[in-house]
């Protein structure tokens, strides 16, 4: 694409005044392509970031779980849209919340049985620290708790309430453990708290299997939802990648059209210019020479740019290829000249470089290619008089 833009700008100065409108049209088309490419680049970055994140992210599902195995077997199935997955997740969450409310209702029954015990009265309200003169209470007890606070939190409707039964269970235990921690084991409050804690644990064990079953179900549902969402996102990004590929193909077609229009409006490359281009190619570095051969291969798929022996027929190349080669060679030689000037003629460094195996191989390949270009030019010169 950069080559096409370069073609447009360099050819523009050589056009006649009568072609000004067409030049503006070409510039407009090029600007449109730039805009499309910028948008495509953003989408490419999005796709790249998704797959980069996906490769590092570990799903919260064990590798040997039945969910993963089932998903692998059904990998080719239709993957629902991301929006559909979000709707399904909301429905699952609502159903899970309803089941949890039922567990909380059953837990409420246990709580009423404990609070109705004759020894529960010391734990029904917050400890009256000032009234009882317990000045060190907050130094000993980090988080005070009582049954009235638990009841209010269970009935809260503003989102500040308990999310699951295990949270309530933890606070009930805290009520009794605080009393046992602050009061000596020989005191009545300590004995009352220890007794009620034992009764609570007995009743909690009866409800625990249902709680454990719900925990397992929630875990599996969340893992499945996470995997479904990942598959949906992967399908969406795969489609985006295909769309990007198609749009890039269209852009390539537009660039080819622009290039051909430019070449048709340009003068033909003369024999002398072709000769100079062949000579200039022989002065390129091995790396730049390989790049030049790649330019030839782009417009001539049968041309083997990386073959051990390369025969380059300058006269057989398309005008667009010759112009691209011309501009590339010009820029490469300018950079090469500046690099040589900055070296300051350091012969020692050059000698050391020439002893490197890679440099020797590149030089040998460069010589072979240049010899092939020179041979082809000589053949053309011999045929010219006839």
């Amino acid at each position: 694409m950069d080559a096409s833009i370069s073609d447009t700008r360099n050819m523009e100065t050589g056009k006649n005044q009568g072609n000004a409108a067409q030049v503006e049209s070409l510039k407009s088309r090029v600007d449109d392509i730039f805009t499309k490419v910028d948008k495509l680049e953003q989408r490419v970055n999005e796709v790249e970031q998704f797959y980069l994140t996906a490769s590092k992210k570990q799903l919260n599902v064990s590798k040997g779980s039945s969910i993963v195995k089932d998903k692998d077997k059904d990998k080719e199935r239709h993957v629902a849209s991301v929006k559909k997955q979000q709707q399904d997740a909301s429905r699952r969450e609502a159903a899970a919340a309803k089941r949890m409310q039922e567990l909380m209702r059953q837990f409420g029954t246990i709580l009423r049985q404990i609070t109705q015990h004759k020894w529960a009265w010391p734990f029904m309200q917050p400890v009256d620290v000032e009234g009882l003169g317990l000045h060190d209470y907050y130094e000993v007890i980090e988080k005070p708790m009582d049954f009235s606070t638990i009841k209010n939190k269970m009935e809260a409707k503003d989102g500040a309430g308990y999310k699951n039964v295990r949270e309530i269970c933890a606070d009930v235990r805290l009520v009794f453990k605080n009393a046992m921690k602050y009061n000596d084991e020989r005191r009545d409050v300590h004995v009352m708290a220890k007794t009620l804690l034992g009764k609570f644990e007995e009743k909690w064990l009866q409800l625990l299997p249902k709680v454990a079953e719900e925990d397992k179900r929630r875990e599996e549902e969340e893992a499945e939802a996470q995997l479904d969402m990942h598959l949906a996102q992967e399908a969406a990004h795969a489609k985006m990648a295909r769309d990007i590929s198609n749009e890039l193909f269209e852009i390539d077609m537009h660039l080819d059209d622009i290039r051909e229009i430019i070449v048709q409006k340009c003068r033909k490359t003369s024999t002398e210019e072709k000769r100079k281009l062949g000579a200039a190619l022989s002065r390129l570095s091995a790396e730049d020479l390989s790049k030049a051969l790649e330019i030839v291969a782009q417009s001539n798929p049968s041309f083997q740019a990386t073959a051990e022996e390369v025969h380059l027929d300058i006269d057989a190349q398309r005008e667009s290829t010759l112009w691209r080669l011309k501009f590339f060679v010009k820029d490469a030689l300018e950079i090469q000249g500046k690099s040589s000037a900055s070296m300051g003629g350091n012969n020692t460094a050059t000698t050391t470089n020439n002893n490197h195996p890679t440099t020797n191989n590149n030089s040998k390949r460069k010589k072979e290619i240049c010899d092939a270009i020179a041979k082809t030019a000589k053949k053309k010169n011999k045929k010219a008089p006839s």
Side-chain angles (χ1 to χ4, degrees):
M1 180 173 174
D2 290 339
S4 298
I5 307 305
S6 179
D7 291 349
T8 303
R9 292 172 177 167
N10 285 281
M11 292 302 101
E12 185 177 339
T13 58
K15 291 183 179 294
N16 297 326
Q17 292 298 324
N19 293 330
Q22 191 170 20
V23 172
E24 288 301 319
S25 176
L26 288 174
K27 289 174 65 178
S28 177
R29 289 179 65 181
V30 169
D31 290 339
D32 288 342
I33 290 175
F34 262 122
T35 302
K36 289 181 180 179
V37 169
D38 287 340
K39 292 179 179 179
L40 284 175
E41 186 176 7
Q42 293 176 0
R43 291 165 63 189
V44 167
N45 289 337
E46 181 182 343
V47 173
E48 183 181 19
Q49 188 60 38
F50 169 78
Y51 283 107
L52 184 63
T53 303
S55 65
K56 294 180 179 179
K57 187 176 181 181
Q58 297 294 330
L59 297 176
N60 295 326
V61 184
S62 61
K63 293 182 179 180
S65 70
S66 59
I67 295 175
V68 174
K69 292 177 181 177
D70 292 341
K71 293 296 179 182
D72 288 341
K73 292 178 182 178
D74 205 19
K75 199 169 185 179
E76 299 300 322
R77 68 180 175 83
H78 172 70
V79 181
S81 66
V82 174
K83 186 176 181 181
K84 176 71 164 51
Q85 292 297 329
Q86 291 172 340
Q87 293 172 347
D88 291 345
S90 297
R91 283 194 290 269
R92 279 194 296 266
E93 191 64 31
K98 189 174 181 180
R99 295 195 304 270
M100 185 56 67
Q101 285 297 325
E102 173 59 23
L103 285 175
M104 287 185 176
R105 187 191 65 78
Q106 296 180 35
F107 187 89
T109 302
I110 296 175
L111 196 58
R112 280 194 299 273
Q113 293 173 353
I114 296 298
T115 55
Q116 289 173 1
H117 193 278
K118 63 181 180 180
W119 284 355
W121 62 268
F123 316 109
M124 298 303 295
Q125 299 295 329
V127 175
D128 184 6
V129 176
E130 293 185 3
L132 297 174
L134 309 177
H135 305 299
D136 62 342
Y137 186 80
Y138 295 116
E139 296 177 7
V140 179
I141 304 302
E142 297 179 3
K143 182 183 177 183
M145 186 56 60
D146 63 278
F147 286 124
S148 66
T149 300
I150 293 175
K151 184 174 181 295
N152 292 335
K153 196 171 180 180
M154 287 180 68
E155 296 174 353
K157 303 294 183 182
D158 58 355
Y162 293 108
K163 299 297 186 296
N164 57 67
V165 178
R166 290 187 182 276
E167 291 181 356
I168 314 176
C169 177
D171 278 354
V172 171
R173 285 171 174 159
L174 187 61
V175 172
F176 299 128
K177 288 184 177 180
N178 282 349
M180 294 166 64
K181 182 178 182 181
Y182 188 78
N183 295 277
D184 186 83
E185 61 182 10
R186 290 171 295 182
R187 301 192 62 176
D188 291 342
V189 173
H190 183 105
V191 175
M192 295 161 73
K194 186 175 182 179
T195 301
L196 291 178
L197 178 60
K199 292 182 176 297
F200 169 74
E201 293 294 356
E202 289 177 3
K203 296 181 181 298
W204 168 248
L205 284 176
Q206 297 174 9
L207 183 62
L208 188 57
K210 294 182 180 179
V211 176
E213 182 181 353
E214 176 61 21
D215 289 344
K216 182 180 179 181
R217 182 173 178 177
R218 285 293 295 269
E219 183 180 348
E220 290 178 350
E221 285 183 352
E222 288 176 4
E224 185 174 4
Q226 187 177 8
L227 188 57
D228 284 342
M229 179 62 74
H230 176 77
L231 291 173
Q233 290 176 340
E234 193 174 61
H237 283 85
K239 183 181 182 302
M240 187 185 296
R242 290 193 298 271
D243 292 342
I244 290 172
S245 178
N246 293 335
E247 291 182 47
L248 285 173
F249 178 77
E250 292 179 6
I251 289 176
D252 283 342
M253 297 294 290
H254 287 307
L255 288 173
D256 286 339
D257 292 342
I258 292 173
R259 186 182 293 113
E260 290 305 318
I261 292 172
I262 293 172
V263 171
Q264 290 173 11
K265 295 297 180 181
C266 294
R267 62 176 177 78
K268 302 298 181 182
T269 307
S270 66
T271 303
E272 179 61 18
E273 286 175 322
K274 292 178 181 178
R275 186 191 66 78
K276 289 181 178 179
L277 177 58
L281 284 169
S282 67
R283 297 200 303 273
L284 292 177
S285 67
E287 182 180 356
D288 286 336
L289 189 57
S290 295
K291 292 179 181 178
L293 294 178
E294 288 176 6
I295 292 175
V296 176
Q298 288 173 7
S299 58
N300 185 4
S302 62
F303 181 76
Q304 300 294 325
T306 58
E308 292 184 4
E309 186 175 349
V310 178
H311 294 285
L312 178 60
D313 187 351
I314 294 291
D315 291 333
Q317 303 308 312
R318 294 166 56 182
E319 283 295 323
S320 59
T321 302
L322 293 176
W323 279 107
R324 291 182 66 191
L325 281 173
K326 180 179 178 181
F327 293 128
F328 172 78
V329 170
K330 179 176 177 294
D331 292 340
L333 289 178
E334 285 181 359
I335 295 173
Q336 201 169 297
K338 291 178 181 178
S339 177
S340 298
S342 65
M343 290 285 290
N346 192 334
N347 294 330
T348 304
T350 303
T351 303
T352 304
N353 236 358
N354 289 337
N355 289 331
H356 196 283
T358 305
T359 305
N360 289 336
N361 290 337
N362 287 339
S363 299
K364 181 180 179 183
R365 173 166 170 73
K366 174 184 171 182
K367 186 176 183 303
E368 291 173 352
I369 295 173
C370 293
D371 289 344
I373 295 173
K375 288 178 183 178
T376 304
K378 287 179 182 179
K379 290 178 182 178
K380 293 295 178 182
N381 291 334
K382 289 180 181 179
K383 291 180 181 178
S386 61

